[in-house]
Amino acid sequence: MATPRPPADRPLRLGVLGCGNVGSRFVELVDTEGQSVAQRTGIGLEVTRIAVRDAAKPRADFPDQAGLEKRLTEDAASVVVDPDVDLVVELIGGIEPARTLVLRALAAGKPVVSANKELLASNAGELLAAAGVAGVDLLFEASVAGAIPLVRLLNESLAGEHITRLSGIVNGTTNYVLTRMSEDGLEYSEALGEAQQLGYAEADPTADVEGYDAAAKAAILAGIAFDADVVASDVFREGITNIGPDDIAFARRLGYEVRLLAVAERTSPPEGETGSSRHPGISVRVHPAMVPQTHPLASVRGPFNAVFLDGAAAGELMVYGRGAGGLPTASAVLGDVIDAAHHLREGGRGRAVRRRAPALTPMLALRTQYYLSIDVLDRPGVLAAVASLFGEHDVSIRSMEQVGLRGEARLLFITHSALEADMQATLRALSDLDVVERVRCMLRIFS
Ligand code: HSE
């Protein structure tokens, strides 16, 4: 469908869906910065309609109440097909009704900018295909890591790059919690309570601490880095709730920081197949890891996010910044809006994407080194029984330390590189051993 170009002598009219934390900051940014954006970019912008669930709800934090109220509507479906809306900005969040509204906007020939992580982590393939058919942009920089330019970096600056691995700290809440546990010895629950008070963590912190938020971001990033249709449920996921300050202190003594990492990497093709004969495998995972203190990701502290890329030609590269918050996220939305508006005025659109079904390498087929902490009864023969279980499952111990605990002992192991399937079998066997009181914490070592 050919999209008519809006005349150059008037601002582009934006229909915004949602006026929550990001939506209200975005509208404010366009209202206050619109003129300076127009001077710098030649693109005039104007928010003409704002769809909300409840137009009567007070929005006291918005400076121009009257200006806001006259643009509000509860009819989102009419905004996406309104001939007086040139471009749709979807800031509702969640899958429905956002998915249907975005598809309708695209079908009506309107470019869409979205900050919707859940939607992009589950339906990116469908939405990008719809944008391709309509010949308009679907841009979603703000769906991952707030103000950090990752989507554009991967899609444009690194479009010719063969990315081999992407490793990131993409959840500010968990990074804040782990930093406080590491630097100040706080227990997990204390650090989480503090993150909630500061507004980093939700009252129900499950999405952050169990890694769901990071897994959705990992799926979006892996999809772009590898042109593959990766969805959040493809991502192996473990959270941070089993980690104690002792584990972090032990890791630090060995020269590591504990971080919740999202990793997406190319893996070798399955045995018997050559890399050139098929789409190579990829692994996408989120789990806490021991990161060497010499690695740049180990220096990312508090609520900050960062993503470290390994490219075949570009080598190593890292981006760092604020991964959440209304204003940083609104800034990323505005950047996309200016890009889409430019394409609308001048013709053309962002890079067309052809996504393939991903060949996912199962977690159990990966190899890494492990840290393991277990509590055992402190009596003769226990260490030998525990150590023999590692050997029986082909996991070689590199080092071991014992800490006494009134009748019990805590054993801290570092293994040599082992197959995940073998390590999981070792963990099951240890849990079944009656002298083992508790398998406390297992961490993978990032290298
Ligand atoms: N809750 C997320 C974080 C931000 O702590 O990073 C939204 O994705």
Side-chain angles (χ1 to χ4, degrees):
M1 180 198 305
T3 313
R5 287 191 199 173
D9 59 355
R10 66 156 172 84
L12 279 162
R13 298 161 305 189
L14 311 179
V16 178
L17 310 179
C19 196
N21 191 22
V22 177
S24 55
R25 296 288 81 81
F26 172 73
V27 174
E28 202 181 321
L29 210 50
V30 175
D31 286 358
T32 56
E33 298 299 314
Q35 272 202 329
S36 116
V37 167
Q39 275 162 8
R40 282 185 284 122
T41 65
I43 306 270
L45 298 171
E46 180 185 14
V47 175
T48 50
R49 299 191 69 192
I50 307 165
V52 292
R53 221 179 352 219
D54 178 4
K57 184 179 149 189
R59 291 177 170 79
D61 61 339
F62 199 86
D64 174 13
Q65 282 293 312
L68 180 71
E69 278 163 22
K70 66 176 189 247
R71 293 175 282 182
L72 293 182
T73 170
E74 292 179 1
D75 187 3
S78 76
V79 173
V80 297
V81 293
D82 185 341
D84 289 333
V85 165
D86 300 308
L87 201 151
V88 171
V89 182
E90 186 274 303
L91 306 174
I92 302 179
I95 293 175
E96 287 294 355
R99 171 182 162 272
T100 301
L101 292 167
V102 169
L103 287 171
R104 283 195 192 147
L106 294 171
K110 298 185 200 299
V112 174
V113 171
S114 173
N116 189 333
K117 174 186 58 207
E118 292 85 1
L119 182 60
L120 271 302
S122 61
N123 291 72
E126 175 191 31
L127 300 176
L128 286 166
V133 169
V136 295
D137 280 323
L138 168 69
L139 303 181
F140 49 93
E141 183 65 73
S143 66
V144 184
I148 307 177
L150 273 165
V151 176
R152 190 170 282 103
L153 176 72
L154 289 165
N155 255 339
E156 295 181 14
S157 315
L158 298 175
E161 185 61 40
H162 182 79
I163 302 289
T164 51
R165 184 166 73 169
L166 177 158
S167 325
I169 293 169
V170 292
N171 183 271
T173 301
T174 46
N175 208 57
Y176 178 85
V177 168
L178 292 171
T179 305
R180 290 289 281 143
M181 290 172 72
S182 168
E183 296 181 5
D184 304 288
L186 263 60
E187 289 291 338
Y188 165 77
S189 53
E190 280 177 282
L192 178 61
E194 211 179 81
Q196 285 170 320
Q197 267 173 8
L198 289 168
Y200 299 138
E202 304 282 335
D204 175 0
T206 312
D208 291 322
V209 300
E210 295 293 358
Y212 290 100
D213 174 78
K217 292 166 179 167
I220 297 173
L221 292 175
I224 305 166
F226 304 130
D227 288 333
D229 205 5
V230 182
V231 295
S233 56
D234 291 331
V235 180
F236 173 86
R237 178 195 51 76
E238 260 175 27
I240 64 163
T241 54
N242 291 333
I243 303 170
D246 297 359
D247 303 307
I248 296 179
F250 182 72
R252 286 189 110 188
R253 259 200 290 132
L254 298 184
Y256 296 91
E257 293 293 339
V258 177
R259 296 283 182 256
L260 182 70
L261 287 190
V263 179
E265 70 181 329
R266 293 185 197 269
T267 52
S268 310
E271 252 169 61
E273 298 189 49
T274 61
S276 56
S277 68
R278 72 193 295 279
H279 179 35
I282 57 172
S283 154
V284 193
R285 53 193 192 268
V286 167
H287 54 72
M290 283 166 51
V291 179
Q293 279 162 347
T294 49
H295 192 283
L297 285 173
S299 65
V300 178
R301 301 173 57 250
F304 280 86
N305 285 192
V307 170
F308 187 90
L309 296 164
D310 292 282
E316 296 177 346
L317 189 153
M318 186 159 106
V319 282
Y320 167 92
R322 291 208 176 268
L327 199 54
T329 308
S331 163
V333 174
L334 183 55
D336 272 354
V337 165
I338 293 168
D339 247 16
H342 182 75
H343 293 147
L344 207 52
R345 282 260 190 263
E346 307 298 327
R349 55 189 288 256
R351 178 166 83 91
V353 180
R354 277 191 302 277
R355 290 197 160 190
R356 296 172 285 199
L360 291 161
T361 302
M363 191 67 191
L364 293 179
L366 301 185
R367 296 187 75 85
T368 190
Q369 279 186 271
Y370 298 87
Y371 156 81
L372 181 65
S373 158
I374 57 175
D375 288 347
V376 296
L377 298 182
D378 196 3
R379 59 180 198 224
V382 169
L383 184 56
V386 166
S388 75
L389 278 187
F390 280 78
E392 279 166 30
H393 292 94
D394 229 10
V395 177
S396 171
I397 296 167
R398 179 163 179 217
S399 66
M400 196 284 294
E401 190 170 308
Q402 174 168 337
V403 185
L405 293 172
R406 274 188 253 113
E408 277 186 17
R410 182 160 296 167
L411 303 180
L412 310 169
F413 294 93
I414 297 286
T415 74
H416 286 290
S417 179
L419 192 64
E420 176 85 15
D422 291 338
M423 190 63 198
Q424 292 295 345
T426 308
L427 290 178
R428 282 194 298 275
L430 285 169
S431 301
D432 290 345
L433 204 62
D434 50 8
V435 293
V436 173
E437 295 286 284
R438 212 162 349 126
V439 175
R440 292 182 56 251
C441 178
M442 187 269 269
L443 295 170
R444 298 171 185 85
I445 300 182
F446 180 71
S447 58

